[in-house]
Amino acid sequence: MCLTAHFIDTNWKLHKRVINFCPISSYKGVDMAASITNYLLEWGLATIFSITVDNVSFNDVTMIEMSK
């Protein structure tokens, strides 16, 4: 799994960062949500504006869990 962050700084410059690149140990939505949340928090990212995922069915559960 690769997690990337895209953000605009105070000078309106676009930045892109790979914040995590790791193997996936479980494809369960609940486990994926926990992993993603932990990686985001490691970077101090507690507020997220949007998340883009592919169309794999477990992503529905992942996004529901992350929105809690």
Side-chain angles (χ1 to χ4, degrees):
M1 169 172 56
C2 182
L3 298 176
T4 60
H6 300 248
F7 61 95
I8 298 172
D9 67 16
T10 56
N11 294 316
W12 291 94
K13 182 178 177 186
L14 176 64
H15 296 267
K16 303 173 188 177
R17 301 285 187 271
V18 173
I19 60 173
N20 193 288
F21 190 81
C22 63
I24 299 172
S25 59
S26 171
Y27 288 92
K28 294 180 182 176
V30 175
D31 296 336
M32 292 288 291
S35 294
I36 293 169
T37 300
N38 288 337
Y39 296 132
L40 293 173
L41 291 175
E42 284 178 9
W43 275 76
L45 302 172
T47 304
I48 306 299
F49 177 73
S50 70
I51 296 177
T52 305
V53 296
D54 58 16
N55 62 349
V56 178
S57 62
F58 65 78
N59 284 331
D60 294 340
V61 175
T62 303
M63 294 302 101
I64 290 168
E65 287 296 315
M66 290 192 67
S67 66
K68 292 180 178 179

